[in-house]
Amino acid sequence: METSLQLYSYWRSSAAYRVRIGLNLKQLAYTITPVHLVRDGGQQHQSDYAALNPQELVPTLRHGALVLTQSLAILEYVDEVWPQPALLPADAAGRARVRALAQLVACDIHPLNNLRVMKFFDGTWHVPQSEREDWTLHWMRAGFAALEKMLVGSPHTGRFCHGDGPTLADCCLLPQLYNARRFALDLAPYPTLTRIEQACLALPAFDRARPENQADAA
């Protein structure tokens, strides 16, 4: 099978960060094509990239001739094509739990604080920055509080979100904690999240994926 992997990424994108973690955990070789989400009016809106990804978002993963979009779909594809180490548990109940944790972050927290939402608030509705930040912090707190309860209340939580190896859930958690710090969110109420974060960052796969370690970091 063709193994050439090209990731269209932006160093600070949470969704691209998730995919970088997953590819690193799989120890897959890949090249990064930077797509700057702010420069030149947003390079994701340029015609050549829009033809590749009609949503004009990152990440996009090219695997040979195949073009994949949406970070969770990309990660599940990668997990199916390269099964080891697994990003999802072997049992159906475990997979459902990990997907629920991942989707809580990727579908319920992240979309409410990403760049295009903030730009719309600013450029279209002219919402003051303090109110935009209140919006962001409110939804982060709500999501993290629920996630903390789900992790504390489950016997399946281990060193990581599910057991003692990183999964899809951890790939989603780390970038959102990075975002939370950018917005100066107090993380003290979420000790389980920060404990898991430290376990993740001790692994080279997570450390290499960090935004500040990307070639396009500015």
Side-chain angles (χ1 to χ4, degrees):
M1 176 181 289
E2 170 66 55
T3 58
S4 173
L5 293 169
Q6 181 182 11
L7 178 65
Y8 294 83
S9 174
Y10 177 58
W11 67 285
R12 201 178 254 175
S13 161
S14 298
Y17 187 177
R18 294 171 200 146
V19 174
R20 294 195 302 265
I21 293 170
L23 293 174
N24 292 346
L25 286 170
K26 297 287 185 179
Q27 299 185 35
L28 295 170
Y30 61 98
T31 60
I32 287 182
T33 299
V35 180
H36 202 292
L37 301 186
V38 179
R39 188 178 299 153
D40 306 321
Q43 294 174 352
Q44 72 274 24
H45 303 308
Q46 294 177 356
S47 59
D48 55 344
Y49 186 75
L52 193 68
N53 185 328
Q55 281 192 285
E56 302 176 19
L57 300 172
V58 293
T60 298
L61 182 69
R62 192 194 290 272
H63 180 202
L66 180 65
V67 176
L68 302 162
T69 62
Q70 286 293 335
S71 61
L72 295 188
I74 291 171
L75 287 169
E76 292 217 29
Y77 170 83
V78 168
D79 203 39
E80 291 176 12
V81 175
W82 295 278
Q84 297 301 324
L87 298 179
L88 287 166
D91 63 299
R95 290 194 299 275
R97 178 175 184 265
V98 167
R99 287 182 175 122
L101 295 170
Q103 290 173 26
L104 190 160
V105 174
C107 303
D108 294 337
I109 303 176
H110 172 241
L112 297 174
N113 62 72
N114 72 3
L115 178 63
R116 61 179 181 168
V117 171
M118 296 297 106
K119 289 180 70 174
F120 184 83
F121 278 170
D122 182 24
T124 303
W125 284 351
H126 309 295
V127 177
Q129 182 176 351
S130 61
E131 293 183 20
R132 299 198 305 270
E133 290 178 356
D134 286 346
W135 158 277
T136 297
L137 292 171
H138 170 80
W139 293 113
M140 281 190 186
R141 289 188 190 103
F144 282 158
L147 190 57
E148 179 78 13
K149 289 178 182 177
M150 290 170 70
L151 291 169
V152 169
S154 173
H156 300 292
T157 301
R159 185 178 174 215
F160 298 94
C161 287
H162 189 85
D164 293 323
T167 66
L168 183 67
D170 304 284
C171 293
C172 292
L173 173 63
L174 268 286
Q176 195 58 57
L177 289 170
Y178 171 83
N179 278 355
R181 288 191 173 89
R182 285 183 59 207
F183 285 94
L185 177 67
D186 178 12
L187 295 175
Y190 320 110
T192 308
L193 304 190
T194 54
R195 175 187 64 75
I196 291 170
E197 178 188 37
Q198 291 308 304
C200 289
L201 290 176
L203 301 179
F206 284 85
D207 185 63
R208 290 199 310 273
R210 293 170 77 159
E212 59 268 30
N213 292 334
Q214 304 314 300
D216 60 324

